Amino acid sequence: MHTDRSISVGRSLLVTLLVLCTTMLVAQPADSLSSKPFQHYWTRQRLVPKIGAGMQDRAFVEAGLYWQNIYKHPLSLASKGPYMTVDIFVDNSNLLLGPKAGYEFTAGIFGAAVDMTYFIDHNYNSEGANRQSWVVTPKVGLTILGFADIFYGYQIPISSTEITSIYRNRFSLVFNLNRDYFNLKEAPRR
């Protein structure tokens, strides 16, 4: 008799558990049943400020805009997009400007970019003459999920005039100030 009683108690518990589970399942909203535990998606592209500093033969400042979107994956983040910035070199004798357009891709802690720069060297000699030069700069380096980039680049001249007063090797630290990094769950998706 003792076993019959424990079997009936076990059946009662099983039926109660099934009823509770069914009730909880029906009470959940429909979208919570279809969502994946590990979502991955691209955010919508956003125009964000891109600012930084770097070093060639002298220090420079970089400022501009980046048309960035972010890929959210359970293991990491990636980002990509085109950008337009200006490098500003200042020393005692002249002003060197470098407006440029490029494309950047980052994934996790690695990043790469390539840009084309049009350097304008104002008052480079005693007569106050100006000179211009085109360069292409491939860059690679480390990144903090696309938010902060530490890149090394090598400038390749593509015009007949070359500005020899700046080195070809460059190091830069650039921040992509996209507010989506601070709340990816609520970021607009494409």
Side-chain angles (χ1 to χ4, degrees):
M1 289 239 197
H2 184 8
T3 58
D4 290 336
R5 187 173 186 193
S6 63
I7 291 174
S8 68
V9 169
R11 285 183 186 164
S12 297
L13 282 173
L14 183 62
V15 169
T16 305
L17 184 62
L18 286 173
V19 169
L20 283 174
C21 287
T22 307
T23 306
M24 289 179 2
L25 200 74
V26 171
Q28 291 181 348
D31 61 342
S32 70
L33 294 174
S34 64
S35 67
K36 299 175 186 175
F38 301 110
Q39 293 184 345
H40 52 89
Y41 54 88
W42 282 100
T43 63
R44 282 196 195 139
Q45 283 190 300
R46 184 183 297 276
L47 195 60
V48 299
K50 184 177 190 71
I51 59 169
M55 188 66 175
Q56 275 185 266
D57 63 312
R58 55 193 171 225
F60 66 90
V61 176
E62 181 177 350
L65 296 172
Y66 183 18
W67 187 241
Q68 180 188 37
N69 62 344
I70 302 168
Y71 181 70
K72 191 237 181 248
H73 189 274
L75 300 177
S76 186
L77 296 178
S79 69
K80 65 179 176 76
Y83 60 88
M84 293 186 72
T85 61
V86 175
D87 291 345
I88 304 168
F89 296 81
V90 179
D91 62 16
N92 294 336
S93 62
N94 68 339
L95 171 69
L96 179 66
L97 295 176
K100 64 183 171 183
Y103 194 87
E104 179 179 309
F105 176 79
T106 65
I109 62 168
F110 299 106
V114 64
D115 54 51
M116 182 178 289
T117 310
Y118 178 66
F119 280 114
I120 307 162
D121 192 2
H122 295 279
N123 302 323
Y124 79 94
N125 63 13
S126 60
E127 290 84 34
N130 297 333
R131 61 184 168 177
Q132 296 85 25
S133 175
W134 286 93
V135 297
V136 171
T137 309
K139 300 184 269 190
V140 294
L142 299 174
T143 182
I144 302 173
L145 305 173
F147 181 75
D149 304 329
I150 300 173
F151 282 167
Y152 163 77
Y154 185 78
Q155 292 183 344
I156 303 165
I158 58 171
S159 63
S160 59
T161 307
E162 186 178 338
I163 299 176
T164 57
S165 63
I166 57 173
Y167 297 146
R168 290 190 180 182
N169 299 304
R170 66 183 284 146
F171 294 93
S172 60
L173 171 63
V174 179
F175 295 94
N176 302 310
L177 304 176
N178 191 335
R179 67 179 181 209
D180 290 342
Y181 280 112
F182 304 111
N183 192 2
L184 279 171
K185 289 182 181 180
E186 299 300 321
R189 301 174 187 183
R190 62 172 187 170

